[in-house]
Amino acid sequence: MLEKIVNITAGSDYKQSSRPNRQTQAARYLSSYSSAANDSISFSPATALLHNLHWKLKRLKNDKEHFQITFEIDGFEFSTQIWQSEIINNKQLDYDIRRIAESYMNNIEIYLKIAAAINENGSEKIEVKYNLPALGKLTSGLVSLTTDYSSLSADNYKVSKMFSEFENDLRTEFEYLNNCLFSFVEKYSGLIINF
C-alpha cells in the first residue's frame, strides 16, 4: 500500500484544501472571459453637434414649456431660455453672459445681458467658429474701463460708445450663436424650427 505514494512534502499542511483559492478562481475566470461589447461609443446627433462646435454644455433643463441652456465657448459662459410655445414668434434671445477676465491687479468678473435678434434667414450650413473676437474685444475694453469705474452699466457713455463700435461684429457673432443653438434644439428635441 505504501508503494503507491510517490511524493510527500514535509512542510505541507494537511488541513488546507487542495482546491484552488478564490483569487486563483477569479484569475482563471477573468483570463477566460471575453467581452462581446464594442469599444465604440455612439453619440446622439445633438452631442455630436456640440462636439463639432467646441461648445461645452454646462446645464440643460428641458420641460414641456422651455429649454434652459448654459454652455461655454471661448471662455464665455452663456445662459439663455427658449420658450417652445413662442419659438417661432420670438424675435430675440436674451443671453446672460459671464466671463472672468484677468487684469493686471486682479481677476474681474464680467456680467453682460445681451438681447440678440433672431435672423429668420438662418443658414442651413453652420460654419464653425472657435472664438468670438468681437465679444472678446468688448470685454477687454470693459476691463480697461474698470480702472476708472467700480461698476459699469449700459447707460455709461463710454460703454455705449464701445458697444456701438463692435455692434455689427457682435450682431454677426450672435446670429452664429442663435443658429447653432437652434440647430442643437432641433437635434436634441426633434422639433423642426421654421421661421
Side-chain angles (χ1 to χ4, degrees):
M1 181 167 122
L2 287 176
E3 295 169 1
K4 293 185 181 180
I5 299 175
V6 177
N7 188 7
I8 298 176
T9 307
S12 67
D13 187 4
Y14 66 90
K15 293 181 182 175
Q16 282 186 339
S17 171
S18 62
R19 286 186 5 198
N21 62 15
R22 286 185 179 175
Q23 292 174 344
T24 310
Q25 287 176 339
R28 230 185 267 152
Y29 173 76
L30 291 175
S31 65
S32 66
Y33 175 74
S34 64
S35 174
N38 194 350
D39 287 346
S40 66
I41 299 172
S42 64
F43 292 108
S44 71
T47 308
L49 176 68
L50 291 177
H51 178 72
N52 291 337
L53 295 173
H54 298 278
W55 286 17
K56 180 181 177 185
L57 186 66
K58 297 190 94 175
R59 183 173 182 217
L60 175 63
K61 183 179 177 187
N62 177 19
D63 57 25
K64 292 181 180 181
E65 296 176 8
H66 74 289
F67 294 97
Q68 186 175 359
I69 302 170
T70 303
F71 61 94
E72 190 176 301
I73 177 175
D74 193 26
F76 292 95
E77 183 180 285
F78 295 88
S79 295
T80 189
Q81 291 186 7
I82 300 174
W83 296 90
Q84 292 183 23
S85 59
E86 300 174 11
I87 204 162
I88 295 172
N89 300 326
N90 203 352
K91 300 296 180 198
Q92 69 183 28
L93 279 180
D94 297 325
Y95 286 98
D96 293 329
I97 305 163
R98 186 172 89 82
R99 182 177 199 177
I100 297 175
E102 294 181 10
S103 170
Y104 64 92
M105 292 182 65
N106 56 2
N107 290 341
I108 298 171
E109 205 161 356
I110 298 173
Y111 291 100
L112 298 172
K113 285 186 166 284
I114 294 182
I118 296 172
N119 183 5
E120 295 179 4
N121 302 324
S123 62
E124 290 291 321
K125 189 173 187 291
I126 296 173
E127 191 174 314
V128 177
K129 295 182 182 182
Y130 298 104
N131 52 16
L132 306 169
L135 192 57
K137 288 177 187 175
L138 176 67
T139 54
S140 296
L142 292 174
V143 168
S144 66
L145 286 178
T146 57
T147 57
D148 299 333
Y149 304 96
S150 60
S151 66
L152 298 171
S153 70
D155 298 333
N156 184 307
Y157 172 73
K158 290 184 178 180
V159 171
S160 59
K161 182 181 176 197
M162 189 181 302
F163 183 78
S164 65
E165 289 175 14
F166 298 112
E167 188 173 2
N168 290 331
D169 294 333
L170 286 170
R171 183 175 288 123
T172 303
E173 287 180 2
F174 278 91
E175 283 177 4
Y176 165 75
L177 291 173
N178 289 345
N179 287 341
C180 293
L181 198 57
F182 286 127
S183 294
F184 170 74
V185 169
E186 283 182 338
K187 292 184 184 306
Y188 177 75
S189 66
L191 292 172
I192 298 173
I193 302 171
N194 291 323
F195 293 103

